[in-house]
Amino acid sequence: MSEQTENVLRQRRPKGSDTEADTSGQTSFRTKEEEVVWGKTPSGEVFRVPTTHDVLTLFHPGYPKSHLDILNLVLLGSQLLLFLVLSRSTARKFFFIYFAFWRAAYDVGLGWVLTKQSKKKWIVREIQKLGWLDEARQPTVRNWIRKQLQGKMGKDYSFDDLPVEYNTWLLFRQLVDIILLNDFLAYCMFAFACFRVPDGLSTTMHVMRWIGGLALIAFNLWVKTEAHGVVKDYGWYWGDCFFQRGALVFDGVFELAPHPMYSVGYAGYYGLSLISGSYAVLFVSLAAHAAQFGFLVFFENPHIERTYGQRKLLAQRTPVQPTGSRKSIDAVQTSSSSHSRKPSTASTAETDLSTPAATEGDTASETDELETETETEQDCGESAHFKRKLRRSKANAPSPVAGKKRGRSPIMTLHDLYNIYFRKDAILLHNIDLLRANDLQLVLIVAYVLLGSFLPALSTRGSLTLHFVHALTWCLFHSFGLGLLLRAQSESRFMVRHFLKHYHYPRNDPGRGAAHEAFSNWKAIYNMSMCMTYASFIGLTWKSYSIPSDWTVGNELLRHTLGVILIIIHVWATLESYEVLGLFGWFFGDFFIDDFPAHLEYTGIYRYLNNPEIMSGAAFFGLAMISGSKLVFALAVIRYLSQWWFLSNVENPHMRKLYGDTLRSDAGFVKVIKTVAHKNAQLLESRAGRHAPEIRRVAKEVKGTFDKVYEETAEALEEFLAKSKPKISEVVQDTKVLLQQSRERLVISRVATDLSSYDTSKYGMEVNPSSRDGTLQFPLGEPIRVKWRAPKYHSRRDWIGIYRVGANTSNLVTKTTSLGRWVPVHDEEWDGDMPLNPVQHGLVDGEKDEPEYGEVVFKGDTLPWQVGRYEIRYHHDGKYNVMSLAGPIEIYVDKPSSLEFSAVRDCLAHIVPLCLDSDPSLIPLSCRPSRNDGDVSDDEDRPDPDDFRFWSEKQAKRISLTIQQAFGVELTPEVIIADANLSALANRILVAKELLSG
C-alpha cells in the first residue's frame, strides 16, 4: 500500500493522461471500482483524502449546517436586513467600513495567518498546543469540532482516522468561508447603496454602460468558476499550506492570464462600478483589488516559492554545442511548451523565474523532492532570458571563444559566455555605477530631462541664479570632484581597484582589463566634465550679457576687445598644451598606465611655463569682461582658485612622486623674471649708496620672515597630519567597532523568572578542538563542535550562541544579539527558530539529578565569518539567561606562505570548500579527498576539476569575505560567481595584488 501510494504521489500529470483531479483538487488514481486520492502530511504520513463540497452547499437546504455555517448565514442575513433598514447615506458609510473590515480580514488577516502556517505550520501547532483535537486534554472542544466537520463531509470521512493537519484544514475552511462570503456581500451592498444614474449621458451610453457592466460580472463569474474547476477546494482554500498531494495542474483559465483568480477574476468589481455609476465604488474597487495583489505578492508568491520552488545551481557550466539543427531546437521548444510541468534542463531553462508562478504549468509537490534534487544538478543555472535569446538564434550556436587551456581543449560554457557578454549592465537605473561613463551620462540625461520638465517658470533673476548654480556645480565637480578621484587613483589606485572588485575579466587577463576600463571611463568622464564646465559657463555668460546699444560709450568696446584677446590666449594655450602633452598627458595617463616611459620634455609652451593650465583659464575672465557681470567674474575667480587647488594638491604631488628630482622647479618665464629682478636689485643697491646695507638687511628680514612663516606653517601642517593620521585611523576603527556593537545590541534581552529551580553548576560545555595540539583555534568556515551537559529537567528550548569576546559585559545575561549564530540544544525539536514541542516533559524524581549529554555543531550561517576571538554561551529556555560559558576560541584565516600561484591556489583549495559547506556537489573535484570512478556524470558536468558551484549568492559572499581577510583583495560575490574556478581566482588575486601594489 505504501509503495503504491508513493508511486501515485510521484506521478506528474501530462495532458491526456489517465490521471485526473477529483472534486477536492487531489490527484486521482482511477481504478474500475473507485477513485482514490492520497495526501501526505509534512511528517510523512500518507492518508486517503475524502471528498469535500464547495462553498455553495452552504445555501443548499439539503446539506446539514454546522454552528459556524449558521453564524455565517446570520451575518449574511444581517447585512441584507441592514441594507433594507438603513437610509441611503447611512448605508453607504456603514457598508464602506464593513467592507473595509472584511477586506482587511481577508488580505491582512488571512495573509498573516497563512504566511505563518506556510513557514512554521503555525495554525496546526496552535491547535496542538491548545489541545483542541486532543481527546485527553480538551474532550469537549474536540467533540464539538468533530460534530462540525462530520456533518459537512461525506461517508468516506473519518475524523479519528485522518491526521490533525487535514482536520485543521477543514476547520480553517469554515473560517475562510465566513470571511470570503461576507467580504463579497459587503462590497455588493456598498455598491448598491452608492447606485445612481449619471447625468449628461445619452440613452445609448446608459445601455452600453449596463451591457459592459453585466459582461464584466459574467466574465468574473466564469473565471472564478473555471478556476475552481481547475484547483478545486484544495487550491481554493490553500490546502498545500497544511498537507501535500501529487501533481497540481494549472490549465484552462490559468492560460488566459497570470494569476486569474487575483487579476481578471476581479473584473466584476469594475462591472458593478459601471452599473452603479459611482466613482466612490470605482475607487473602493481599485483599493480592494490593490489589496488583493498585495496578498498575492506578500503571501501567495512566497508560499509557492517555498512549497514548489526548485533550487538552482549558480555557476553551473553547461557546454555550448558548436552546432545544432533547427529541428532539434524546435523539438526542445515543443516538448517544453506543455503545461504539465516536468523539471528538466529544458523546462528550467525556459522560465524567467527560479520558481514558476502558480498559473504557469503544473506545480511540483513536496513528494517530488528527490526528483527535483537530481534534476537541478543538471540545470545550467543561468539566466533564462539569455537562454531564450540563445534558442532564438540562427541554426548555429556561437562558436567557442578561444580561452586559456586547462589541460584539455577549451570548452565554452553558457556560464562563461554569459559573463563575456553581460557585465552588470544597467537596466533602467538598476546596476548603475557612477564610475562608468555611460551610467553617469545616463543619470545626468535623466536628471536634466526631469529638471527641465518639472522646473517652474522662473523670473530673470531666478533664471540667472539657476545658471550660476549650474555653472558653479560643474566647476567644483571638475576641479574638486575629479581632483579627489584622481588623487585617490594616484595614492591607492582607487578606480582600478573599483573595477577589479566589481567586474569580471577573462582568466587569462594579466590585469590590463581593469586598468584599461578604468582609464577609458576616466577619459569619458573627464571630457564630459570639461565640456559641461565650458558650456555651463558660456550659458551663464549669455544669460547675463546684453548687447550694447552704443559701442562708443564708456569702455564697452575696450571690454569686448580685451575679452576676445583673453579667449584667444586661452585657446592658444590649450592647443599648445595639447600639442606637447598628447592624448597621454591630456587625460593624465600616468595616473593609470605604467607601460609608457616616464620622462619629461620641456618643449613648446612648457618651455616657458610649468603649469600653462593657469593661463588656459584666461577665457573665463575674458567672458567675465565681455558680460560685464560681477556674477560671472566671481565664478571666474572661483574657477581659477579651484584650478590652482587641483594643480597644487593633485597634479604636482603626483608629478613629484613619479618623476622625483627630474622635475624642474622654475620654468623659463620664472627664471627670466628672477634674473631681471636680481639685476634690478643690484642696480638699486648700487644707487642707494650708504643706505644699501640697510635696504639689504630689511629685504633679507622680510624674505626671511616669509620663508620662516612658510616653513613653520608647512612643518606644523605636516606634524598635525602625522599625529592625526593614527588618531584618525583609531577613530575610524573605533567607529567600526561601535557600529558593530550597535548592530549586535539591537535586541531586547528576555530573561526567565524560574531560574531558582535550576542549578547552573550542572550545566557545562566543552569545545572540541580542531587541531591535534588541543588549542581552540579554528580556520574560518570550519564547523565547531560543542559538547554540552545539562540536568535531565532542563528546558527543551535551551540554545547555544557564539559571541565576540567583549561584546557582553555580563556573564549572567546576554545583552547582544547573536546575529543568527546560534543552534538549539535539541535541534531535531526545532523548525528554524520555532520550537516544535514547547511543552516540557515531566520527569520522575529519580531522573532529575541525572545529567543529559549532547553535542551541537556550528556550521554554515551559524558560524562567524570574521576572524577574531569568540566565546560560546549556553542559554536557558529560549531566553538570554546564561547557564554556562565556554572559550574563548580563536577563528583565523589561512594565508599563503608566499604570493605565488601554487601557494595562493592551495590556500583557496582550503578556503573554498569550507565556504561551500563542504558540499560534494559544489566543491571543486580537485578538492575532494577521494573520487568515485564509477560516477562520471559530475566529471562530465565539470570538465575542469577546479570549477565549483553555488546554491546561493550567500556562499559566494562568504568566499568574498574570506578572500578579503586572507589576501587583502576585495572582490564582489558577482565576480566570485563569474570565475567559480580555483585557478581563475588565484590568478585574479595575484593580478590584483600586483596592480594594487604598484
Side-chain angles (χ1 to χ4, degrees):
M1 179 68 167
S2 61
E3 182 178 355
Q4 183 188 35
T5 301
E6 286 296 323
N7 292 334
V8 172
L9 287 171
R10 285 195 173 278
Q11 279 187 331
R12 300 179 181 254
R13 175 189 170 185
K15 287 187 176 180
S17 68
D18 293 334
T19 307
E20 299 178 357
D22 76 340
T23 55
S24 61
Q26 282 74 28
T27 302
S28 305
F29 178 76
R30 187 176 296 275
T31 66
K32 293 182 179 180
E33 294 84 6
E34 60 179 351
E35 184 177 317
V36 180
V37 182
W38 300 99
K40 183 178 180 181
T41 66
S43 61
E45 179 184 354
V46 178
F47 62 97
R48 179 173 176 173
V49 180
T51 304
T52 58
H53 304 289
D54 59 41
V55 67
L56 295 180
T57 58
L58 176 69
F59 306 103
H60 197 293
Y63 285 86
K65 304 294 184 289
S66 68
H67 293 169
L68 294 176
D69 289 340
I70 295 173
L71 173 63
N72 197 2
L73 291 172
V74 169
L75 290 173
L76 296 173
S78 63
Q79 288 197 52
L80 297 174
L81 181 62
L82 287 172
F83 179 78
L84 296 175
V85 172
L86 297 175
S87 64
R88 182 65 63 87
S89 60
T90 305
R92 280 196 294 265
K93 297 175 183 177
F94 172 78
F95 283 108
F96 170 75
I97 297 173
Y98 200 61
F99 171 64
F101 167 77
W102 287 112
R103 177 53 44 171
Y106 183 0
D107 294 326
V108 179
L110 287 182
W112 180 75
V113 169
L114 285 170
T115 298
K116 297 189 69 174
Q117 171 65 19
S118 174
K119 289 181 177 179
K120 306 295 182 183
K121 310 302 176 189
W122 179 77
I123 300 176
V124 175
R125 288 180 185 170
E126 286 298 310
I127 294 292
Q128 291 175 324
K129 182 179 179 180
L130 296 172
W132 286 0
L133 299 181
D134 190 340
E135 189 172 7
R137 296 172 57 194
Q138 297 282 354
T140 304
V141 177
R142 182 180 183 274
N143 291 333
W144 179 82
I145 293 176
R146 180 178 182 176
K147 284 184 179 181
Q148 306 309 307
L149 300 183
Q150 280 184 337
K152 292 181 66 65
M153 300 294 290
K155 296 180 179 180
D156 58 348
Y157 175 74
S158 175
F159 180 84
D160 298 323
D161 296 337
L162 288 167
V164 64
E165 287 84 1
Y166 186 80
N167 288 326
T168 303
W169 176 63
L170 292 180
L171 187 63
F172 173 75
R173 278 186 46 158
Q174 300 198 36
L175 173 65
V176 173
D177 284 340
I178 293 175
I179 294 175
L180 264 60
L181 290 175
N182 281 273
D183 171 77
F184 169 73
L185 186 58
Y187 173 79
C188 293
M189 295 298 99
F190 172 73
F192 295 154
C194 295
F195 178 83
R196 69 184 185 91
V197 178
D199 299 328
L201 296 179
S202 63
T203 304
T204 304
M205 290 299 297
H206 283 297
V207 172
M208 292 179 63
R209 184 168 59 85
W210 275 84
I211 293 175
L214 291 174
L216 287 174
I217 293 173
F219 177 72
N220 189 150
L221 294 176
W222 175 79
V223 169
K224 293 288 189 181
T225 304
E226 288 295 311
H228 185 271
V230 173
V231 300
K232 301 298 190 297
D233 285 355
Y234 176 76
W236 190 272
Y237 293 101
W238 304 283
D240 50 6
C241 288
F242 297 82
F243 62 94
Q244 292 294 316
R245 20 66 83 223
L248 189 61
V249 181
F250 288 101
D251 51 16
V253 72
F254 285 87
E255 296 176 327
L256 176 67
H259 304 288
M261 294 174 63
Y262 298 134
S263 54
V264 295
Y266 277 78
Y269 271 9
Y270 307 105
L272 202 51
S273 299
L274 275 174
I275 292 175
S276 65
S278 171
Y279 280 108
V281 177
L282 175 63
F283 291 133
V284 167
S285 301
L286 289 170
H289 200 180
Q292 194 63 32
F293 277 120
F295 179 86
L296 171 68
V297 170
F298 294 106
F299 161 68
E300 191 86 27
N301 285 342
H303 168 68
I304 293 172
E305 178 73 24
R306 281 189 297 269
T307 307
Y308 306 111
Q310 299 179 11
R311 299 176 73 188
K312 281 193 173 183
L313 285 166
L314 302 178
Q316 171 81 330
R317 285 184 160 89
T318 303
V320 177
Q321 299 298 329
T323 58
S325 64
R326 184 71 222 177
K327 179 184 285 188
S328 63
I329 296 175
D330 291 340
V332 172
Q333 292 178 334
T334 303
S335 64
S336 60
S337 62
S338 172
H339 278 267
S340 179
R341 184 168 152 266
K342 299 179 181 181
S344 64
T345 304
S347 64
T348 52
E350 286 189 0
T351 179
D352 279 334
L353 301 173
S354 60
T355 306
T359 60
E360 297 173 356
D362 291 358
T363 308
S365 69
E366 191 175 77
T367 58
D368 301 317
E369 183 177 355
L370 294 178
E371 292 179 15
T372 300
E373 288 179 354
T374 304
E375 290 153 359
T376 52
E377 288 181 4
Q378 300 172 358
D379 187 7
C380 62
E382 291 300 331
S383 169
H385 177 73
F386 174 73
K387 294 176 185 175
R388 288 199 305 272
K389 293 291 186 182
L390 190 63
R391 286 196 299 273
R392 293 174 186 165
S393 62
K394 299 296 181 181
N396 294 333
S399 60
V401 180
K404 182 179 179 181
K405 293 186 178 181
R406 295 178 278 176
R408 310 183 187 187
S409 59
I411 299 176
M412 178 56 64
T413 66
L414 282 176
H415 175 76
D416 298 322
L417 199 61
Y418 182 88
N419 287 287
I420 289 175
Y421 288 101
F422 303 98
R423 297 173 66 250
K424 294 186 69 175
D425 301 283
I427 303 173
L428 296 180
L429 296 180
H430 179 62
N431 287 336
I432 287 292
D433 183 356
L434 295 181
L435 290 184
R436 289 193 298 195
N438 291 337
D439 291 359
L440 179 60
Q441 291 166 1
L442 172 64
V443 171
L444 289 174
I445 290 173
V446 172
Y448 276 111
V449 170
L450 293 177
L451 184 64
S453 301
F454 293 102
L455 195 67
L458 299 175
S459 61
T460 303
R461 185 180 182 86
S463 177
L464 188 62
T465 303
L466 178 64
H467 278 77
F468 174 78
V469 172
H470 181 231
L472 177 63
T473 302
W474 277 110
C475 173
L476 297 179
F477 173 77
H478 187 71
S479 297
F480 292 98
L482 296 187
L484 291 173
L485 181 61
L486 201 59
R487 187 166 72 175
Q489 170 64 21
S490 173
E491 294 175 352
S492 63
R493 302 186 70 83
F494 173 79
M495 288 193 68
V496 177
R497 188 190 297 268
H498 173 83
F499 283 94
L500 269 176
K501 176 181 178 181
H502 291 91
Y503 299 98
H504 172 260
Y505 299 95
R507 65 179 63 186
N508 56 352
D509 175 53
R512 299 178 185 273
H516 173 74
E517 190 169 7
F519 188 42
S520 298
N521 283 279
W522 161 260
K523 290 186 294 182
I525 293 173
Y526 178 76
N527 186 65
M528 177 196 69
S529 175
M530 180 175 289
C531 291
M532 292 304 299
T533 301
Y534 286 125
S536 60
F537 202 99
I538 293 172
L540 174 64
T541 303
W542 177 253
K543 280 293 180 181
S544 60
Y545 176 73
S546 59
I547 301 176
S549 57
D550 188 352
W551 291 84
T552 60
V553 176
N555 59 358
E556 296 291 341
L557 187 58
L558 178 62
R559 285 193 300 105
H560 284 74
T561 303
L562 293 177
V564 171
I565 292 173
L566 288 175
I567 293 174
I568 293 173
I569 292 174
H570 176 103
V571 174
W572 170 80
T574 301
L575 293 175
E576 287 292 317
S577 298
Y578 177 75
E579 184 177 351
V580 175
L581 294 173
L583 287 172
F584 180 78
W586 181 263
F587 287 110
F588 305 94
D590 48 9
F591 283 77
F592 296 87
I593 304 174
D594 299 328
D595 297 339
F596 283 78
H599 68 279
L600 292 171
E601 293 183 359
Y602 292 105
T603 58
I605 194 172
Y606 283 90
R607 179 182 177 185
Y608 315 106
L609 298 172
N610 279 343
N611 297 307
E613 294 89 348
I614 296 294
M615 190 175 179
S616 65
F620 296 98
F621 289 98
L623 291 173
M625 294 189 71
I626 291 175
S627 66
S629 170
K630 295 180 180 178
L631 204 60
V632 179
F633 179 77
L635 186 59
V637 173
I638 293 173
R639 172 36 174 90
Y640 180 84
L641 294 176
S642 61
Q643 184 66 18
W644 174 82
W645 177 89
F646 179 87
L647 293 172
S648 58
N649 290 275
V650 179
E651 188 171 352
N652 290 342
H654 179 76
M655 297 286 286
R656 286 194 295 269
K657 182 180 75 171
L658 193 63
Y659 299 103
D661 296 337
T662 61
L663 192 67
R664 71 182 183 184
S665 58
D666 295 328
F669 178 79
V670 176
K671 287 180 180 179
V672 171
I673 295 299
K674 285 186 175 182
T675 301
V676 173
H678 182 68
K679 289 181 179 179
N680 289 334
Q682 289 180 344
L683 180 61
L684 179 63
E685 201 176 299
S686 63
R687 293 182 179 180
R690 61 188 181 85
H691 297 291
E694 185 66 19
I695 294 175
R696 192 182 303 112
R697 184 185 62 81
V698 172
K700 287 182 179 181
E701 287 180 356
V702 172
K703 183 176 181 299
T705 301
F706 279 110
D707 291 342
K708 185 177 180 182
V709 170
Y710 177 79
E711 291 175 0
E712 290 179 352
T713 304
E715 289 177 0
L717 184 61
E718 291 176 358
E719 184 179 0
F720 171 76
L721 293 175
K723 290 182 178 179
S724 62
K725 185 174 181 179
K727 293 183 178 180
I728 292 175
S729 301
E730 185 178 351
V731 169
V732 170
Q733 186 63 29
D734 291 344
T735 304
K736 289 181 179 179
V737 173
L738 288 174
L739 289 174
Q740 176 70 17
Q741 290 178 350
S742 64
R743 178 168 172 255
E744 291 174 347
R745 286 172 181 164
L746 292 175
V747 63
I748 299 175
S749 298
R750 294 176 292 110
V751 296
T753 57
D754 58 346
L755 284 183
S756 58
S757 59
Y758 292 89
D759 185 0
T760 57
S761 63
K762 296 182 178 180
Y763 292 82
M765 288 186 296
E766 181 182 351
V767 182
N768 290 350
S770 63
S771 56
R772 294 182 178 179
D773 56 4
T775 58
L776 299 181
Q777 294 181 326
F778 298 86
L780 192 65
E782 182 172 305
I784 301 175
R785 297 183 177 274
V786 180
K787 294 180 179 179
W788 57 267
R789 171 179 53 84
K792 276 281 188 181
Y793 60 89
H794 75 277
S795 171
R796 311 297 291 184
R797 295 166 47 137
D798 289 355
W799 59 281
I800 300 174
I802 294 184
Y803 298 85
R804 288 186 309 103
V805 171
N808 292 282
T809 56
S810 172
N811 292 334
L812 301 178
V813 177
T814 297
K815 297 289 186 179
T816 63
T817 178
S818 62
L819 299 176
R821 302 189 295 259
W822 68 278
V823 291
V825 168
H826 300 281
D827 189 48
E828 69 281 359
E829 299 183 16
W830 288 65
D831 180 11
D833 57 353
M834 293 287 293
L836 292 174
N837 187 11
V839 181
Q840 183 67 42
H841 299 291
L843 297 171
V844 296
D845 293 338
E847 294 178 341
K848 291 187 177 181
D849 295 331
E850 297 180 7
E852 182 178 352
Y853 299 92
E855 183 180 79
V856 297
V857 181
F858 290 91
K859 58 184 179 180
D861 294 334
T862 60
L863 282 172
W865 288 94
Q866 294 285 343
V867 297
R869 299 175 72 244
Y870 294 85
E871 63 182 5
I872 301 175
R873 293 177 165 231
Y874 186 111
H875 298 88
H876 168 66
D877 194 32
K879 298 182 175 61
Y880 289 86
N881 302 94
V882 179
M883 311 301 284
S884 179
L885 289 169
I889 63 173
E890 182 180 356
I891 295 179
Y892 67 95
V893 63
D894 287 323
K895 296 185 178 181
S897 56
S898 61
L899 284 178
E900 298 178 355
F901 175 80
S902 58
V904 173
R905 187 195 169 283
D906 291 343
C907 184
L908 287 174
H910 183 66
I911 289 174
V912 169
L914 292 176
C915 295
L916 297 177
D917 302 316
S918 300
D919 189 336
S921 66
L922 303 180
I923 65 175
L925 300 177
S926 57
C927 296
R928 294 186 182 179
S930 62
R931 297 173 58 185
N932 185 2
D933 296 334
D935 185 10
V936 297
S937 59
D938 202 18
D939 292 23
E940 294 175 355
D941 199 24
R942 289 189 282 177
D944 190 333
D946 278 356
D947 288 343
F948 54 89
R949 304 176 291 195
F950 312 87
W951 279 124
S952 68
E953 190 175 341
K954 187 183 296 183
Q955 293 173 320
K957 189 177 295 184
R958 296 177 192 166
I959 298 177
S960 175
L961 288 172
T962 308
I963 287 177
Q964 182 179 354
Q965 296 174 84
F967 304 99
V969 173
E970 295 182 78
L971 299 174
T972 59
E974 292 82 4
V975 174
I976 303 292
I977 293 175
D979 271 337
N981 182 276
L982 291 180
S983 299
L985 269 181
N987 283 326
R988 185 175 302 280
I989 291 170
L990 290 173
V991 167
K993 294 294 288 185
E994 182 179 355
L995 274 176
L996 301 179
S997 63

